[in-house]
């Protein structure tokens, strides 16, 4: 039986295996209950967000959780060939309903599949399913009827011989046929109108019927302009563009060494590649450390304002540099994230757009040390173990050791008493180290010994330096090579104070 840590307490479990992992990602966010209500509003009302706080406190998890609460994509974006100006392909946007209607029409264009007994006798005979002598139905490729022994194709051969005589020929070909026709074209009356209908033999024992509607639809499909689907209906609604280059964020047109020559090269519409802003259409575009793409912020602002953005060839040396696709939709929810010190580097108009159409949220780094929040930390441990998939569950004692470490980090790092840290990415590293140790010892669960070892060893390199050398200055001096140490005397002379007893 699973325990819901939103309602129960730490003492209700024996191991993290007993903890219920919520299906809703928003319920997996630990310690930010006051923020979650704004996140739910952002998902429902399609508002933008700026999340501010140090790394590892759940900014990316919140951004992903928003996409979980969005409706399925409703629009498919396609680039269509422009025969008059190939370098200016068209954009075609179709809704889910329109694509479903096209699928139905395509099925109709493929025709109805029926059994041979459902078609006119004359058609069944010419396709080889019905014997003209006894009227029985059998395999189309049997030239001799297994029921009466008659030649199923004698009437066809007779007509061919008669036609050959009329043409002054002895025979139409080298001999009588022994296989039936693959297709029969005839007419039928439907709803008081005569129409052309084609019967085709398929899979050896069935017949496909192509009526007037199916034939017309096939003709439309043949005449349809070539296209390239760049944003399909079936797609992810969470696009992370952290550290993206200009082409990754805004799209591009691939190079063609033949310059798009109609006979040798690849047509421009086929070389159009969407950017992250287009792939995030109807979804979430998340950029962590947004200041790292400072020069691209103005493009993001333009896309947010217009909800369309062109795709152009961005390499001036490429054959795609002359290609441009106008008005490609990019209606997304923007979620940006940064540290407090980087707020000043965000483009002011971009911040204004976020403030005017969304929320700026300063995230917390600690939460009160209560029984409810202790239970939430236990849920975090269970989530980390499940997501990792390579380590065993943790005992209650091991979880309690990690919670003590969370108290210590809140006190040391954030100077908060009676609190628990929310810098959970670092705590996740502790859990994984403890789990790896348990795996190496072939243990069934992570116990207190494993967690204690991880707490003492899963520390940053800065803390390791201080632990070993007591100060950074000592570390730098000790880190010098022997030649550097020996040659740092006055006037670059050998340092006489260096111990050379090892030589």
């Amino acid at each position: 039986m699973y325990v819901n840590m939103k309602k129960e307490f730490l003492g209700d479990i024996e191991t993290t295996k007993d903890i219920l992992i919520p299906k809703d990602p928003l319920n997996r966010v630990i310690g930010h209950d006051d923020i979650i209500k704004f996140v739910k509003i952002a998902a429902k009302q399609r508002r933008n967000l700026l999340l501010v706080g140090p790394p590892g406190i759940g900014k990316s998890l919140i951004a992903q959780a928003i996409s979980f609460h969005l409706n399925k994509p409703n629009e498919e974006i396609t680039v269509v060939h422009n025969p008059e100006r190939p370098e200016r392909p068209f954009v075609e946007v179709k809704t889910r309903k329109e694509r479903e209607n096209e699928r139905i029409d395509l099925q109709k264009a493929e025709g109805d599949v029926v059994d041979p007994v459902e078609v006119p006798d004359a058609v069944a005979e010419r396709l080889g399913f019905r014997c003209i002598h006894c009227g029985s139905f059998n395999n189309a490729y049997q030239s001799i009827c297994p029921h009466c022994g008659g030649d199923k194709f004698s009437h066809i051969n007779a007509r061919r011989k008669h036609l050959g005589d009329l043409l002054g020929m002895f025979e139409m070909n080298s001999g009588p046929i022994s296989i039936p026709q693959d297709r029969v074209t005839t007419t039928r009356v439907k709803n008081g109108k005569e129409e052309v209908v084609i019967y085709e033999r398929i899979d050896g024992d069935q017949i496909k019927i192509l009526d007037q509607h199916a034939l017309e639809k096939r003709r439309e499909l043949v005449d349809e302009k070539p296209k390239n689907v760049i944003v399909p209906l079936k797609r992810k609604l969470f696009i992370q563009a952290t550290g993206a280059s200009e082409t990754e964020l805004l799209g591009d047109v691939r190079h063609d060494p033949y310059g798009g020559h109609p006979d040798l090269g690849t047509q421009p519409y086929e070389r159009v590649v969407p950017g992250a802003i287009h792939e995030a259409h109807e979804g979430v575009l998340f950029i962590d450390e947004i200041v790292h793409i400072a020069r691209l912020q103005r493009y993001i602002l333009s896309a947010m304002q217009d909800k369309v953005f062109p795709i152009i060839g961005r390499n001036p040396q490429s054959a795609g540099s002359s290609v441009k696709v106008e008005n490609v939709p990019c209606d997304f929810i923007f979620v940006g994230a940064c540290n407090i010190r980087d707020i000043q580097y965000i483009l002011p108009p971009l911040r204004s757009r976020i403030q005017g159409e969304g929320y700026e949220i300063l995230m917390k780094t600690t939460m009160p040390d209560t029984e409810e929040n202790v239970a939430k930390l236990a849920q975090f441990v269970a989530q980390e173990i499940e997501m990792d998939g390579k380590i065993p569950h943790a005992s209650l004692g091991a979880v309690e050791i990690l919670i003590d470490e969370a108290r210590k980090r809140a006190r040391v790092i954030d100077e908060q008493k009676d609190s628990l840290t929310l810098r959970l990415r670092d705590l996740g590293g502790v859990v994984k180290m403890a789990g790896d140790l348990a795996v190496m010892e072939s243990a069934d669960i992570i116990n207190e010994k494993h967690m204690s070892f991880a707490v003492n060893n899963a520390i940053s390199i800065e803390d390791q330096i201080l632990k070993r050398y007591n100060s950074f200055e000592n570390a730098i001096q000790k880190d010098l090579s022997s030649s550097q140490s020996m040659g740092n005397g006055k006037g670059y002379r050998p340092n006489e104070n260096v111990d050379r007893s090892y030589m």
Side-chain angles (χ1 to χ4, degrees):
M1 179 179 179
Y2 289 112
V3 175
N4 185 348
M5 301 309 284
K6 297 287 185 182
K7 301 178 181 178
E8 309 297 337
F9 301 110
L10 189 62
D12 296 318
I13 67 168
E14 294 182 3
T15 71
T16 53
K17 188 177 182 180
D18 301 330
I19 297 176
L20 176 68
I21 306 298
K23 293 183 179 180
D24 186 347
L26 279 179
N27 292 330
R28 299 181 189 179
V29 178
I30 306 298
H32 299 292
D33 295 344
D34 55 336
I35 294 175
I36 295 303
K37 62 182 179 182
F38 290 105
V39 175
K40 290 181 177 179
I41 294 173
K44 184 175 179 61
Q45 299 294 100
R46 298 190 63 80
R47 303 301 187 195
N48 303 310
L49 289 177
L50 177 62
L51 305 176
V52 180
I57 59 173
K59 299 190 291 290
S60 60
L61 182 60
I62 288 175
Q64 291 183 51
I66 293 176
S67 64
F68 184 83
H69 287 261
L70 299 178
N71 295 325
K72 291 193 303 184
N74 187 53
E75 293 182 342
E76 179 183 86
I77 304 174
T78 304
V79 178
V80 183
H81 176 55
N82 182 354
E84 296 180 357
R85 294 188 67 191
E87 293 80 15
R88 293 292 182 271
F90 303 119
V91 168
E92 185 178 80
V93 180
K94 291 190 176 181
T95 65
R96 183 176 293 275
K97 185 176 181 180
E98 289 173 333
R99 291 293 291 119
E100 178 63 21
N101 291 337
E102 282 188 353
R103 187 185 66 80
I104 294 173
D105 286 341
L106 183 60
Q107 288 180 341
K108 291 180 179 179
E110 292 175 351
D112 297 325
V113 178
V114 300
D115 289 327
V117 296
E118 299 179 49
V119 303
D121 290 346
V123 173
E125 290 170 2
R126 294 174 63 184
L127 292 176
F129 290 106
R130 185 176 186 274
C131 176
I132 62 171
H133 305 289
C134 65
S136 63
F137 286 84
N138 46 65
N139 191 294
Y141 296 98
Q142 290 180 302
S143 59
I144 304 300
C145 176
H147 293 87
C148 67
D151 182 359
K152 290 165 57 178
F153 309 130
S154 59
H155 63 302
I156 301 176
N157 290 322
R159 282 198 299 269
R160 293 172 71 253
K161 183 177 183 305
H162 177 65
L163 180 60
D165 291 342
L166 290 176
L167 295 175
M169 301 167 60
F170 291 103
E171 56 185 4
M172 291 293 293
N173 57 19
S174 58
I177 65 168
S178 58
I179 58 174
Q181 296 175 240
D182 292 324
R183 171 185 291 196
V184 173
T185 302
T186 183
T187 59
R188 71 178 180 185
V189 177
K190 186 176 182 180
N191 298 327
K193 295 182 179 179
E194 186 178 38
E195 65 175 11
V196 175
V197 61
I198 296 176
Y199 298 89
E200 291 181 346
R201 186 178 64 255
I202 61 171
D203 299 330
D205 57 355
Q206 289 184 311
I207 297 174
K208 178 185 290 186
I209 303 176
L210 298 172
D211 59 12
Q212 196 75 33
H213 175 78
L215 294 173
E216 291 174 358
K217 191 61 185 177
R218 278 194 173 188
R219 192 176 301 112
E220 290 177 12
L221 293 174
V222 170
D223 296 338
E224 193 174 31
K225 292 186 179 71
K227 59 180 62 178
N228 170 24
V229 178
I230 59 172
V231 182
L233 275 175
K234 189 176 181 180
R235 63 182 186 265
K236 296 187 299 181
L237 286 176
F238 176 75
I239 301 297
Q240 183 164 350
T242 302
S245 65
E246 183 174 339
T247 57
E248 290 171 330
L249 183 66
L250 308 176
D252 197 3
V253 180
R254 290 192 300 267
H255 175 67
D256 181 8
Y258 297 103
H261 189 282
D263 297 324
L264 299 176
T266 304
Q267 287 295 309
Y269 78 94
E270 297 179 278
R271 294 185 274 124
V272 175
V273 180
I277 61 173
H278 307 107
E279 294 174 325
H281 179 59
E282 300 182 293
V284 175
L285 177 68
F286 175 61
I287 301 181
D288 199 2
E289 305 295 345
I290 186 173
V291 296
H292 290 171
I293 56 171
R295 66 185 185 85
L296 301 179
Q297 290 181 30
R298 60 191 179 93
Y299 296 119
I300 297 173
L301 173 62
S302 177
M304 291 169 65
Q305 289 174 331
D306 302 334
K307 301 190 186 306
V308 294
F309 198 87
I311 299 178
I312 61 175
R314 299 189 173 276
N315 181 357
Q317 308 301 322
S318 168
S321 60
S322 62
V323 180
K324 184 175 184 179
V325 187
E326 296 278 9
N327 300 322
V328 183
C330 56
D331 184 6
F332 51 81
I333 296 174
F334 175 72
V335 180
C338 70
N339 302 323
I340 293 176
R341 66 176 180 271
D342 293 329
I343 297 176
Q344 59 184 317
Y345 302 114
I346 299 178
L347 197 67
L350 178 58
R351 283 196 61 194
S352 176
R353 173 65 57 174
I354 295 172
Q355 292 170 341
E357 297 180 358
Y359 313 106
E360 293 187 335
I361 298 173
L362 178 62
M363 300 187 67
K364 298 182 297 183
T365 57
T366 64
M367 62 181 177
D369 186 1
T370 63
E371 286 189 347
E372 292 82 0
N373 288 339
V374 165
K376 291 176 184 177
L377 268 186
Q379 176 185 310
F380 161 75
V381 177
Q383 290 172 183
E384 287 293 297
I385 291 171
E386 183 184 78
M387 286 190 297
D388 185 77
K390 296 179 289 187
I391 58 178
H393 280 280
S395 68
L396 176 59
V399 174
E400 289 174 335
I401 291 174
L402 187 73
I403 292 171
D404 286 338
E405 178 66 11
R407 294 188 180 103
K408 176 185 174 183
R409 295 191 181 199
R411 185 173 62 254
V412 173
I413 299 175
D414 294 300
E415 301 179 350
Q416 295 292 319
K417 296 181 179 179
D418 300 322
S419 299
L420 300 166
T421 186
L422 287 176
R423 300 173 188 266
L424 299 181
R425 185 180 298 160
D426 294 342
L427 282 187
V430 176
V431 173
K432 292 178 178 66
M433 178 180 284
D436 291 342
L437 183 60
V439 169
M440 297 307 293
E441 293 183 356
S442 300
D444 295 332
I445 61 171
I446 300 171
N447 58 35
E448 292 88 337
K449 181 186 70 172
H450 303 138
M451 192 64 75
S452 297
F453 177 87
V455 164
N456 293 324
N457 291 275
I459 57 178
S460 68
I461 193 66
E462 289 84 0
D463 289 335
Q464 293 178 50
I465 290 171
L466 291 175
K467 187 176 180 180
R468 180 177 300 179
Y469 297 107
N470 297 321
S471 71
F472 282 98
E473 291 75 12
N474 290 339
I476 292 173
Q477 289 298 322
K478 297 292 184 182
D479 198 43
L480 294 175
S481 67
S482 59
S483 60
Q484 290 172 315
S485 299
M486 293 177 184
N488 65 355
K490 293 182 179 180
Y492 297 99
R493 294 192 300 273
N495 192 337
E496 298 176 354
N497 298 319
V498 174
D499 182 9
R500 295 178 174 80
S501 62
Y502 66 91
M503 298 179 65

